[in-house]
Structure formats: C-alpha cells, structure tokens
C-alpha cells in the first residue's frame, strides 16, 4: 500500500524556476556584503535552548510560544534556531574572536524556525540574510548596516520599502520608562488576559508587541521611550540621523518601534513594505528587515564588553515582492535630468552621455518639452532623483535633486548637489558599473 505525504505545515519547498530569484538575491548579497567587508559564517541549525531564552528574552513571543524545542537522545534541551543573532554571538564568544580583531563584520544566510500562525509571508521555516558587526559603539556602524540593507534593496529593485527608525536608549533609560509604562497599563490589568497580565508583571515593554484587541488603543497611547533617552543615547541617535541624511537615505521616525526581542539598546530599525497603492495583496509581507544595536548581549552571554549592531531580512518576503513583479527587474536610473529647450539642452544631454560612460545610470527625455511631462517620464522609468539643468542651475553651480519616491513634505525630499561635485555624489549613491 502506498502512502502519500505532504510537507510539514508552514514549511515550503523551493523549486525551479523560483530558485532563480533566490539565487539572484543571494548573489547580489554576496557581491555587496563583500564590498562592505562582511564575511560569511555558518552556525548549526540547533543550539542549546538556554541560549535563546537568555538572549531573545523569556517573555518574548518567540521564546514563549514559537520555538521548536526538544530533548535530544542525551537528554539535552535543544532548539531549532528561531533567529541568527544569538548563535552568531555565541560563536563570536566561543572562538575568542574579540582577541584576534577589534572589529568583526559577519553575515549569514540560512533557514530559521518559528512556530507561528501562518499567513502570506509568514512561515514556520523561513530564510534570513543577516549581518552583525561587533566591536564598535560608534554611530557610523549603525548607519553602515542600515546603508548596507538600503543599498541591497536598491540593487535588487525592491520597491516601496520604508525605513522606520527609533532609539531605545541604553540601560539607563529603561527603569524610568518601565515605571511610566507600568503606570500607564496598571489600570487595565483587570481586563487583560492572563498572558498579558504576566507580561505586564515580568516585562511591561513587551506589552507593546501584544496583539490583544483591547490593548491596541492603550498601546497607541503609551509613553514613548524616545522621551526618556539619556543624553549620550540622544546624541548618538542624532548622529545616526545626520549620517543617514548625508547618505540621502530617507527614514521615518517611529516612536513605537521597540522590536520583539529583548537584546536591543539604542538604535532600532525596520524596513517595512508600504505599497503606494495601499491595498496590495502582499501588504502582509510587512517587515522585510529588522535590526538594531545590542551593546549588552555579548557580555550577557559570557563574552567581553563588546557593542554590536546588525539586522536580518526575511528572504521569503523579499523573493515574494520580487516575484510579484512589484520590483523592476532592473532598477531605474539613479538620476533623470530634465532639460529646457535652448542652447543649454545640448550641454545637459552631453552630460547625461558622459555620466553614462562613467558607469552611472542616468536618463533624460529625448522628447524634451514641458517639465511636468519630463517628471512624469522620470517617475515612469523608476528614476530615484530628478533634477533640472537650466540657466538658473548652471549660473548658481548647483542642482536641486528631488527624491521621486518621497512625499512632498518629507524632510529629505530635496538635496542640493554642487555641479562640480555631481560625479562624486553619484559615486557615493550609485557606484560605477553598479548603477542598476
Ligand atoms: P526579527 O525581526 O525577528 O529579527 O526577524 C527579522 C526578519 O525576518 C523579519 O523582519 C522578517 O522579514 C523575517 N521573519 C521573521 N519571522 C518570519 C516568519 N515567520 N516568516 C517569514 N519571515 C520572517 C531578528 O531575527 C533579529 N535577529 C535581527 C537582528 C540581527 N538584530 C540584530 N541583528
């Protein structure tokens, strides 16, 4: 008698031709991460259960409800890894890496396991691409990992991904904040579920992740940790934002972004898929990347005092977005130059050609005509920035770049670029030969 089997619920087979997209994502990651100096590590699929309880946090959803935990034949409790930060930190400590180099940059790629309720883009076996940088508490490292994720999405042509940013401060902001949260939620405990009550007692910050219906409104009105930051964390966060602005990476300040894992300190961030059309069937793909700084974890796991920062992206979600055709296979031009009829038009067109020869993806509208139509054309071909090249700009020696994907009132909507520094700007924002 034959018996037919189906795969385990929430765990997918990846078959050709889907694999082609996965390989494109992985190849893009390997090429880009190498430029940033991130080297690959591979850790086992299982770890000592206590590692996750200790690092991710006892009161988190992951540890409370979602881990695949079992005893092996030797009676040890082991767990299929639900995430990669704790295993990487464990390996970093176990192999004494801090003794051999002051700063380490690692990345990993592989399956993670969480027993979650399934929906589009949420699985029980899913794949993460993660980056972790150890050894520096400098704001430049926070921005480095954010810039790495940002450039990765850009190279792949992932559309409509918005960077959400917050800071949780260092340990010193916590006690006062936790007190404020307790005061805020205390009157509601009578109507809370047992589960939420326990969370309130053990780690009130985790209440902010609660999906309990009655808590949605109180969570929205809860105090924000941003208002409790110590001076050093506030300065650190300002520096992160200044650096992001210098790199023309737009962000949205998200005071509710506390993330679902306990190890974060200071900067936290997520890249969230927010389709402009509003009602995409893929909007449940939600967060495609999450991360932040975790300055205490290495020490807490028995290692030296080493600050660290990193992120992980959900590759299933990323591939889903790419496959849905929501992503242009080839990213649009970095810059679209709008021209005016008259003698300067030839200069502008010649500059477009020269910039292309230098390896940058730059475009213009050969039909010329009304500026409004040229901007429409730029948006249609997926250009990131639009600028005009006319009498006024040439005389001032400055171009005004408009970030086409951003709303008009966004603080980073416009950037001024010196004409003489145009190539240097492109070199920073789209390296030669890598413009698409
Ligand atoms: P996380 O936010 O739990 O962070 O997961 C990171 C990403 O993995 C999510 O944004 C999502 O794209 C993807 N992901 C998570 N759960 C699922 C699921 N059930 N199905 C599909 N995709 C999923 C972490 O794991 C941290 N270790 C990130 C980090 C690294 N922080 C610092 N370094």
């Amino acid at each position: 008698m034959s018996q037919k089997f189906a795969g385990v619920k929430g765990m997918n087979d990846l078959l050709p031709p889907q694999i082609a997209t996965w390989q494109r994502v992985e190849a893009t990651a390997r090429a880009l991460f190498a430029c940033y100096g991130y080297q690959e590590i591979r850790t086992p699929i299982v770890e000592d259960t206590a590692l996750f309880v200790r690092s991710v946090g006892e009161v988190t959803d992951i540890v409370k409800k979602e881990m695949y935990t079992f005893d092996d034949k030797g009676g040890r409790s082991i767990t299929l890894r639900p995430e990669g930060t704790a295993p990487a930190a464990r390996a970093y400590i176990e192999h004494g890496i801090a003794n051999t180099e002051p700063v380490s940059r690692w990345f990993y790629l592989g399956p993670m396991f969480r027993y979650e309720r399934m929906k589009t883009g949420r699985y029980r076996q899913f794949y993460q691409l993660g980056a972790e940088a150890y050894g520096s508490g400098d704001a430049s490292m926070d921005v480095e990992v954010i810039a790495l994720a940002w450039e990765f999405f850009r190279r792949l042509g992932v559309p409509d991904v918005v960077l959400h940013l917050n800071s949780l401060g260092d340990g010193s902001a916590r006690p006062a904040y936790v007190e404020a949260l307790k005061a805020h939620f205390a009157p509601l405990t009578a109507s809370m579920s047992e589960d939420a009550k326990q969370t309130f007692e053990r780690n009130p910050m985790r209440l902010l992740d609660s999906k309990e219906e009655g808590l949605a409104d109180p969570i929205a009105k809860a105090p924000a940790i941003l208002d409790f930051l110590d001076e050093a964390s506030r300065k650190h966060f300002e520096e992160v934002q200044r650096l992001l602005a210098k790199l023309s990476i737009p962000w949205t300040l998200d005071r509710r972004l506390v993330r679902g894992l306990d190890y974060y300190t200071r900067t936290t961030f997520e890249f969230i898929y927010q389709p402009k059309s509003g009602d995409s069937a893929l909007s449940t793909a939600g967060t495609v990347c999450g991360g932040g700084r975790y300055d205490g974890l290495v020490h807490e796991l028995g290692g030296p005092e080493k600050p660290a920062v990193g992120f992980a992206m959900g590759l299933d979600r990323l591939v889903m977005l790419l496959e849905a055709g929501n992503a242009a296979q080839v990213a649009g031009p970095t810059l679209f130059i709008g021209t005016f009829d008259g003698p300067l038009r030839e200069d502008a067109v010649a500059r477009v050609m020269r910039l292309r020869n230098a390896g940058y993806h730059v475009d213009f509208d050969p039909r010329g005509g009304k500026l409004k139509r040229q901007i429409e054309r730029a948006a249609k071909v997926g250009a990131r920035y639009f600028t005009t090249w006319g009498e006024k700009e040439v005389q001032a020696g400055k171009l005004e770049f408009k970030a086409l994907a951003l709303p008009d009132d966004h603080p980073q909507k416009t950037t001024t670029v010196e004409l003489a520094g145009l190539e240097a700007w492109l070199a920073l924002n789209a390296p030669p030969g890598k413009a698409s």
Side-chain angles (χ1 to χ4, degrees):
M1 263 271 280
S2 69
Q3 191 185 353
K4 206 166 153 193
F5 292 97
V8 173
K9 194 173 168 197
M11 306 201 179
N12 301 315
D13 297 313
L14 304 173
L15 306 174
Q18 222 194 353
I19 279 295
T21 311
W22 284 82
Q23 286 174 347
R24 181 164 80 90
V25 168
E26 289 167 16
T28 305
R30 286 182 196 286
L32 177 66
F33 282 41
C35 293
Y36 275 69
Y38 283 71
Q39 292 178 310
E40 184 172 0
I41 57 156
R42 298 185 190 188
T43 62
I45 299 287
V46 291
E47 297 275 351
D48 187 335
T49 301
L51 173 70
F52 298 114
V53 176
R54 187 73 203 261
S55 55
V56 173
E58 231 172 324
V59 195
T60 57
D61 280 353
I62 295 179
V63 169
K64 275 196 313 193
K65 312 177 198 163
E66 297 169 0
M67 294 209 301
Y68 282 89
T69 298
F70 55 95
D71 286 349
D72 70 7
K73 291 192 194 303
R76 298 171 204 90
S77 176
I78 59 177
T79 292
L80 293 183
R81 61 183 185 193
E83 60 104 54
T85 305
R90 195 262 312 134
Y92 176 80
I93 298 161
E94 188 171 339
H95 300 284
I97 306 297
N99 303 325
T100 61
E101 54 191 24
V103 172
S104 308
R105 294 177 167 96
W106 284 355
F107 83 89
Y108 51 83
L109 216 161
M112 307 289 160
F113 303 84
R114 296 183 194 177
Y115 194 82
E116 291 205 72
R117 204 183 300 206
M118 280 161 14
K119 59 178 187 180
T120 309
R122 197 202 281 156
Y123 310 110
R124 293 181 175 169
Q125 172 169 335
F126 60 98
Y127 292 80
Q128 278 189 349
L129 165 63
E132 315 288 354
Y134 306 93
S136 168
D138 198 65
S140 60
M141 294 306 287
D142 308 39
V143 175
E144 177 175 293
V145 295
I146 293 173
L148 176 56
W150 173 262
E151 175 64 11
F152 181 63
F153 291 139
R154 200 186 72 72
R155 284 193 186 185
L156 286 172
V158 184
D160 300 339
V161 173
V162 178
L163 169 62
H164 286 234
L165 192 68
N166 194 16
S167 173
L168 306 185
D170 63 14
S172 68
R174 292 294 157 85
Y177 179 59
V178 167
E179 279 317 304
L181 276 183
K182 274 192 166 155
H184 177 75
F185 285 110
L188 304 162
T189 47
S191 55
M192 278 182 196
S193 69
E194 271 315 306
D195 189 47
K197 247 185 242 168
Q198 230 189 54
T199 307
F200 172 81
E201 293 300 333
R202 293 166 69 182
N203 187 351
M205 249 174 97
R206 291 274 71 91
L207 271 181
L208 301 174
D209 309 325
S210 170
K211 306 278 177 296
E212 214 162 287
E213 246 176 50
L215 287 177
D217 191 48
I219 287 173
K221 292 186 180 135
I225 192 159
L226 215 48
D227 298 323
F228 291 77
L229 292 197
D230 56 290
E231 181 65 10
S233 293
R234 207 175 44 72
K235 285 216 166 102
H236 180 92
F237 194 44
E238 279 167 12
E239 199 178 336
V240 167
Q241 294 177 78
R242 273 202 307 277
L243 267 168
L244 285 174
K246 264 203 184 9
L247 286 166
S248 304
I249 297 176
W251 71 90
T252 298
L253 198 63
D254 184 343
R255 298 159 65 84
R256 303 269 150 238
L257 188 71
V258 292
R259 313 259 308 122
L261 306 95
D262 276 354
Y263 46 64
Y264 292 109
T265 54
R266 297 198 166 173
T267 314
T268 52
F269 61 89
E270 285 185 353
F271 286 88
I272 301 179
Y273 175 59
Q274 287 172 324
K276 282 191 210 80
S277 56
D279 60 350
S280 159
L282 295 174
S283 51
T284 52
T287 305
V288 282
C289 173
R293 185 162 272 294
Y294 51 100
D295 289 344
L297 183 66
V298 172
H299 187 58
E300 230 166 83
L301 295 178
E305 292 273 5
K306 284 283 172 187
V309 59
F311 65 73
M313 3 194 138
L315 293 188
D316 309 74
R317 294 180 185 183
L318 200 62
V319 167
M320 210 168 75
L321 293 181
L322 291 168
E323 283 192 334
N326 281 1
Q329 279 302 301
V330 178
T334 307
L335 180 63
F336 197 105
I337 297 183
T339 58
F340 299 97
D341 291 342
L344 279 176
R345 182 155 198 277
E346 286 171 14
D347 285 351
V349 170
R351 185 62 80 100
V352 168
M353 307 287 175
R354 280 209 299 273
L355 290 170
R356 287 173 173 172
N357 292 346
Y360 303 108
H361 191 173
V362 181
D363 205 357
F364 73 108
D365 192 336
R367 299 168 301 177
K370 285 210 174 69
L371 214 51
K372 186 165 167 277
R373 215 174 67 162
Q374 294 185 47
I375 295 181
E376 280 166 10
R377 177 76 193 150
K380 183 98 198 273
V381 297
R384 284 170 68 209
Y385 289 92
F386 181 86
T387 189
T388 48
W389 187 290
E391 193 86 34
K392 193 176 87 204
E393 290 82 2
V394 170
Q395 254 169 28
K398 285 182 174 120
L399 299 173
E400 182 142 304
F401 282 22
K402 276 192 182 26
L404 293 180
L406 297 181
D408 284 346
D409 58 351
H410 198 283
Q412 285 105 36
K413 177 72 182 175
T414 57
T415 311
T416 304
V417 176
E418 300 276 337
L419 220 107
L422 178 54
E423 252 194 76
W425 186 93
L426 282 167
L428 277 175
N429 289 276
K434 305 272 165 53
S436 59

